[in-house]
Amino acid sequence: MSTTEKLLAPGDAMRGWWDNLSRVEKWFFGLVGFGLLALLPLFPPPFLNTPNISFGGTMAQFAMVAIIAIGLNVVVGQAGLLDLGYVGFYAVGAYTVALLTSPNSPWNKVGATGWFTEDWAWLACVPLAMAITALAGLILGTPTLRLRGDYLAIVTLGFGEIIRLLADNLSDITNGPRGLNEVAYPRVGESETLPEGVFSSGNSTGDANYGTWWFWLGIVMIVLILLLVGNLERSRVGRAWIAVREDEDAAEVMGVNTFRFKLWAFVIGAAIGGLSGALYAGQVQFVAPPTFNIINSMLFLCAVVLGGQGNKLGVVFGAFIIVYLPNRLLGVSFLGINLGDLKYLFFGMALVALMIFRPEGLFPARQQLLAYGRAARNLLRHPEKESAR
């Protein structure tokens, strides 16, 4: 075994171990894993803690980016559509919540006589943000998904920049570069010490601060989205996505309506991106155009590539690297250089090394027979036992 293979063996061994588990065992280990993950902000290991920034806030940011990575993985990893402007859907979701709840917005109808009550405004806007973002994906995808490869990438890149520029220039609606502040958030856990609830920025002390609560909310949504996407992968839709990704022309010849299934992927991915945007708007309580620049879109794509395209849990790990590394290095100096400012250099070097030694990502997806996969593998391994039944 070569040195490179030895270095890569642990990731492959973990993937092989996971693939050989039964569905019940995967559920058990998955619940235990996410339970331990949820406890991290309360009991951060010393080697994992972020000394110069709140660890709970870092984990909340990770949850948002993980949701984005899962949605982008549906588009890029499952259906094979190169989307460079996914940050546009993130912006649509965030601005939907901000426009409906911020006092700076002319569309704000929060209050006793408005569309939403103050306590439930954010929660009511989340499904609206997902629906509007899905509609944006439908409007963008219908004319553009006839394109392929580089042409589709350029169109989506333009979409992301158009959304940012509209937010920057429609001052009468979006308040332009000044942004929209005092966005609504969940009003839960109000008390004398926390009059605005556990999700407010006033809850900034202790391990269970507002970042930790947003992380817990994000974890719940990640689990629900993983269940949804996992069921889609094992369905006819998921098999069609894989066929389109591997060879679109062959899939079309075999009777797959490639345009319809690509549009499905685009709309579902857009809705998930809108959900993450709604989380961002509620947590930060401020939405402004600079957040939705092309650099962030590249970072989201970087999380998918690092983790492994097509692997749901892999892209979650990639999102953790993208968020954790800059926060861990924040304030750390080496030879007078703040390492936190060099995050793009580190990500670039990581991608170059990955393309050389591991082009499929850290945790690549091993495609199996999605329908009756376990029975088919047992038949191939022990044909005499299966034929005797």
Side-chain angles (χ1 to χ4, degrees):
M1 183 181 292
S2 66
T3 304
T4 302
E5 290 173 336
K6 289 179 181 178
L7 290 174
L8 300 181
D12 290 332
M14 184 181 298
R15 184 186 62 177
W17 170 79
W18 179 262
D19 289 338
N20 290 326
L21 294 177
S22 67
R23 189 165 177 77
V24 176
E25 291 172 332
K26 288 181 178 179
W27 268 89
F28 173 76
F29 285 110
L31 290 175
V32 171
F34 277 102
L36 294 175
L37 185 64
L39 294 176
L40 272 182
L42 298 180
F43 309 99
F47 66 91
L48 200 62
N49 201 2
T50 51
N52 295 309
I53 194 171
S54 168
F55 187 70
T58 300
M59 296 303 288
Q61 186 183 0
F62 151 66
M64 288 188 295
V65 177
I67 293 174
I68 293 174
I70 296 170
L72 185 56
N73 184 58
V74 172
V75 180
V76 177
Q78 295 296 328
L81 306 174
L82 185 55
D83 188 349
L84 298 182
Y86 194 75
V87 73
F89 299 128
Y90 182 52
V92 171
Y95 266 101
T96 299
V97 176
L99 287 170
L100 293 176
T101 63
S102 171
N104 302 121
S105 168
W107 296 357
N108 178 20
K109 294 294 180 181
V110 176
T113 59
W115 294 338
F116 315 107
T117 63
E118 186 176 359
D119 292 343
W120 297 97
W122 181 85
L123 187 60
C125 288
V126 169
L128 285 175
M130 296 180 66
I132 292 174
T133 312
L135 179 61
L138 179 66
I139 294 173
L140 174 66
T142 300
T144 60
L145 287 179
R146 309 286 183 184
L147 304 173
R148 299 186 189 180
D150 299 340
Y151 301 102
L152 178 62
I154 292 172
V155 170
T156 55
L157 180 65
F159 166 74
E161 282 297 288
I162 287 171
I163 296 297
R164 184 184 65 82
L165 291 173
L166 284 175
D168 204 12
N169 289 281
L170 295 178
S171 301
D172 294 339
I173 299 175
T174 65
N175 208 24
R178 291 173 294 178
L180 299 169
N181 59 9
E182 298 182 36
V183 178
Y185 57 89
R187 298 278 182 166
V188 177
E190 296 178 351
S191 62
E192 293 183 0
T193 56
L194 294 172
E196 296 181 339
V198 294
F199 286 95
S200 71
S201 56
N203 179 21
S204 58
T205 59
D207 293 328
N209 55 27
Y210 78 104
T212 301
W213 281 91
W214 280 106
F215 170 62
W216 287 338
L217 179 60
I219 283 291
V220 172
M221 292 185 175
I222 287 173
V223 172
L224 294 176
I225 294 170
L226 286 175
L227 291 176
L228 170 65
V229 174
N231 287 329
L232 284 173
E233 284 181 353
R234 290 184 293 273
S235 69
R236 180 170 175 262
V237 175
R239 295 193 293 274
W241 285 343
I242 293 173
V244 171
R245 183 192 66 199
E246 297 300 325
D247 193 323
E248 186 173 343
D249 292 328
E252 197 160 6
V253 169
M254 295 301 294
V256 177
N257 189 334
T258 56
F259 175 76
R260 184 178 68 181
F261 286 110
K262 287 195 297 183
L263 193 59
W264 266 106
F266 219 68
V267 170
I268 292 171
I272 296 174
L275 171 61
S276 185
L279 278 175
Y280 168 79
Q283 181 187 348
V284 181
Q285 300 169 36
F286 175 73
V287 178
T291 306
F292 311 105
N293 54 43
I294 187 62
I295 296 297
N296 282 331
S297 192
M298 295 301 105
L299 287 178
F300 301 154
L301 185 60
C302 184
V304 175
V305 174
L306 278 175
Q309 299 181 45
N311 189 332
K312 304 183 297 298
L313 296 178
V315 301
V316 172
F317 182 76
F320 179 78
I321 295 176
I322 292 298
V323 173
Y324 174 76
L325 184 61
N327 286 287
R328 181 64 181 84
L329 297 177
L330 191 66
V332 178
S333 297
F334 179 72
L335 299 178
I337 301 174
N338 185 359
L339 297 182
D341 296 334
L342 301 179
K343 61 179 180 179
Y344 299 121
L345 173 63
F346 295 141
F347 292 149
M349 293 171 60
L351 286 176
V352 170
L354 203 68
M355 292 303 102
I356 295 173
F357 298 107
R358 189 79 162 184
E360 64 273 23
L362 295 175
F363 299 95
R366 186 179 71 179
Q367 298 302 336
Q368 305 174 1
L369 295 174
L370 299 181
Y372 309 104
R374 182 169 294 277
R377 292 196 299 275
N378 290 335
L379 179 61
L380 292 174
R381 291 170 182 169
H382 308 289
E384 68 283 351
K385 293 182 181 180
E386 295 294 331
S387 59
R389 291 184 178 180

